Amino acid sequence: MDLFATTSTFAVSSYALLSTVYKTEQARYAVSRDVYILPETQRHEGVPPSVDVIVPCFNEDPLTLLACLESIASQHYAGQLRVYVVDDGSGNVDAVTPVHEAYADDPRFKFTLLRKNAGKRKAQIAAIRQSFGDLVLNVDSDTILAPDVVTKLALKMQNAEIGAAMGQLTASNRDDTWLTRLIDMEYWLACNEERAAQARFGAVMCCCGPCAMYRRSALVMLLDQYETQFFRGKPSDFGEDRHLTILMLKAGFRTEYVPDAIAATVVPDRLGPYLRQQLRWARSTFRDTLLGLRLLPELDRYLTLDVIGQNLGPLLLALSLLSGLAQIAFTGTVPWCTGLTITSMTMVRCSVAAFRARQLRFFGFSLHTPINLFLLLPVKAYALCTLSNSDWLSRSTASVPNGAERPIVIESSTSGSKVSGGPRTGSFRNPDLPRAPSKFAASDSVLGGE
């Protein structure tokens, strides 16, 4: 057997062995989290904690932002709820102004307009420093929350050892394209396999930005570190969610996953934006994995296996692919062993996911394998070689008028009054802006049926 064939076979065999051990352990720890139902009798002791919902937005589509704010305003939460919307120097301020005006009379809402684009992290911090609730819920402006998300996350945060908790993510535009369907399945697997297993040990390694709740006392303690993250001497302005989660773990707090706190977020519907998103996430993962390695001796050994599986696994897979392609190019022979191993592992994983989710559509996730092999692996390799690059890659900076850096704060005239966090009465009607249709649909897999 030639060198290329030997290398490809060895790499894919090592990948298969590592992946089998890793995925088996992951499934074992995640399976008990398949059904997570809070007892009806479980209630907050005394007064429920106050919750500040923070929504940073930049050049957001008005209807998307409106749908997000409507889902927040309609939360069924017995405690005090305040909402801080921070417009991060958007160039479409005129377009979203009707959305701001729709909630101008709701005393729970406060809008801050930054004159210059500063980035999501700065926008979050601007809101955190002017808010004062017991808990802080970060919500992306393209995300819609189920009506009970705040309640379920706040109940989880009753444990004082927990510094952060995330909900389950689904794709609100799942039915738009073949890619959005794949991403929705990818989110389900990431939440209900990876995060669910990590949560067994109170160490979810990334509380995702679309829906993540934090304990204010812990957040304030870490805010300066969060704001001044550097990598190789340069400010880091992406990967906020993973970095903040790692800081929580370093400070000794638990991070959790609540699978029935469901949030639907908009996902890329074209390959270009999807690959740029994956490039940002890969850089963030590699950067914070280096930081998170120091935590492993204090965590369960499964978390060490998790880090190895997520980082070494793709390297072995890439090596087997490159060796196989070289074998074809230089010897004219097909690496059947490599191909059959990857195919069989793909079908096993899809079968397990279809069984756990009780949905046959997960067999279609096999289409993700060629995307991973020929697109995502090169993207991850490029990310590893360009870790110092901090380009956001998703949206260009808004063109805003020159002016003071001082933010403009817009408040309801009744914002000083004490407000209960129940849903608004009545409905919004604005002649200049059509009402956004609800895009939220609970994941069938979470509900346990087709």
Side-chain angles (χ1 to χ4, degrees):
M1 186 179 292
D2 60 77
L3 176 62
F4 295 127
T6 302
T7 303
S8 181
T9 301
F10 172 77
V12 79
S13 300
S14 300
Y15 168 74
L17 177 60
L18 173 62
S19 183
T20 299
V21 173
Y22 170 45
K23 289 299 180 180
T24 300
E25 288 297 285
Q26 186 180 78
R28 183 164 73 92
Y29 289 121
V31 68
S32 64
R33 295 255 173 167
D34 281 351
V35 180
Y36 181 91
I37 302 176
L38 288 169
E40 293 292 333
T41 56
Q42 186 174 355
R43 294 290 185 271
H44 290 285
E45 296 180 3
V47 180
S50 56
V51 177
D52 293 334
V53 183
I54 294 180
V55 186
C57 55
F58 177 69
N59 287 348
E60 192 60 82
D61 176 78
L63 290 181
T64 301
L65 178 60
L66 179 61
C68 172
L69 299 187
E70 284 185 333
S71 73
I72 296 171
S74 301
Q75 288 296 301
H76 302 154
Y77 184 59
Q80 190 177 49
L81 188 72
R82 289 177 295 268
V83 185
Y84 296 81
V85 182
V86 183
D87 189 288
D88 187 24
S90 294
N92 66 338
V93 174
D94 291 341
V96 297
T97 294
V99 180
H100 299 176
E101 293 175 347
Y103 291 92
D105 294 329
D106 190 326
R108 295 174 297 174
F109 281 76
K110 181 176 182 179
F111 294 85
T112 300
L113 309 181
L114 303 182
R115 290 187 178 275
K116 184 178 180 180
N117 177 253
K120 177 180 175 181
R121 187 179 311 214
K122 297 290 187 181
Q124 287 177 334
I125 291 172
I128 292 170
R129 285 183 168 153
Q130 63 178 296
S131 62
F132 48 87
D134 300 314
L135 303 173
V136 175
L137 176 63
N138 284 340
V139 177
D140 283 351
S141 58
D142 59 359
T143 301
I144 302 172
L145 305 181
D148 56 359
V149 163
V150 172
T151 297
K152 289 179 175 177
L153 289 177
L155 282 170
K156 171 61 72 173
M157 299 293 288
Q158 281 183 301
N159 184 345
E161 295 180 355
I162 298 175
M166 65 167 283
Q168 178 172 186
L169 303 183
T170 65
S172 61
N173 56 335
R174 181 177 85 180
D175 296 327
D176 285 2
T177 67
W178 63 271
L179 180 59
T180 57
R181 291 182 176 90
L182 283 181
I183 295 174
D184 182 70
M185 289 185 277
E186 186 179 15
Y187 278 16
W188 189 94
L189 292 167
C191 288
N192 294 288
E193 288 186 351
E194 180 186 318
R195 265 61 166 194
Q198 293 171 351
R200 282 287 296 274
F201 308 100
V204 172
M205 304 303 281
C206 178
C207 290
C208 299
C211 179
M213 180 173 282
Y214 299 90
R215 188 174 306 280
R216 173 174 293 279
S217 57
L219 194 57
V220 170
M221 181 176 65
L222 301 170
L223 206 56
D224 289 339
Q225 296 181 61
Y226 177 55
E227 184 175 15
T228 58
Q229 181 189 3
F230 285 85
F231 184 80
R232 293 179 180 172
K234 296 181 180 179
S236 180
D237 55 0
F238 62 86
E240 302 88 0
D241 317 324
R242 183 175 293 274
H243 185 64
L244 185 54
T245 306
I246 294 295
L247 290 178
M248 284 285 175
L249 291 170
K250 284 185 63 181
F253 291 97
R254 294 173 60 89
T255 54
E256 290 284 352
Y257 167 56
V258 183
D260 60 344
I262 305 170
T265 189
V266 178
V267 301
D269 58 0
R270 292 177 292 113
L271 273 175
Y274 174 65
L275 293 178
R276 289 194 293 271
Q277 179 195 67
Q278 293 299 307
L279 177 57
R280 294 196 312 274
W281 288 1
R283 285 176 178 156
S284 170
T285 299
F286 287 136
R287 289 182 181 186
D288 284 296
T289 294
L290 297 175
L291 182 63
L293 289 177
R294 305 171 188 175
L295 297 170
L296 294 181
E298 304 172 12
L299 301 175
D300 188 272
R301 60 185 178 183
Y302 166 76
L303 277 306
T304 300
L305 175 62
D306 184 76
V307 170
I308 294 174
Q310 290 195 47
N311 291 277
L312 181 58
L315 292 178
L316 291 171
L317 187 59
L319 178 60
S320 66
L321 177 64
L322 290 175
S323 301
L325 293 176
Q327 179 183 341
I328 295 174
F330 291 100
T331 69
T333 59
V334 178
W336 291 110
C337 179
T338 299
L340 290 174
T341 300
I342 294 175
T343 300
S344 60
M345 293 189 64
T346 296
M347 296 313 299
V348 168
R349 188 186 185 197
C350 292
S351 299
V352 172
F355 174 77
R356 290 189 58 214
R358 301 178 181 89
Q359 294 187 51
L360 293 178
R361 70 186 179 106
F362 276 87
F363 284 106
F365 193 69
S366 57
L367 296 176
H368 188 268
T369 296
I371 294 176
N372 182 44
L373 290 174
F374 299 107
L375 294 177
L376 295 184
L377 285 179
V379 163
K380 290 178 181 178
Y382 179 70
L384 189 59
C385 296
T386 58
L387 287 180
S388 297
N389 192 325
S390 296
D391 291 344
W392 184 245
L393 299 174
S394 58
R395 292 175 288 187
S396 59
T397 302
S399 175
V400 294
N402 292 328
E405 300 292 333
R406 178 176 62 86
I408 302 173
V409 179
I410 304 174
E411 295 186 71
S412 164
S413 59
T414 58
S415 62
S417 60
K418 185 176 181 180
V419 183
S420 173
R424 293 193 310 162
T425 57
S427 59
F428 157 64
R429 292 290 185 271
N430 189 303
D432 299 323
L433 186 68
R435 187 174 181 83
S438 174
K439 296 182 181 179
F440 176 78
S443 170
D444 294 336
S445 60
V446 177
L447 302 179
E450 291 290 340

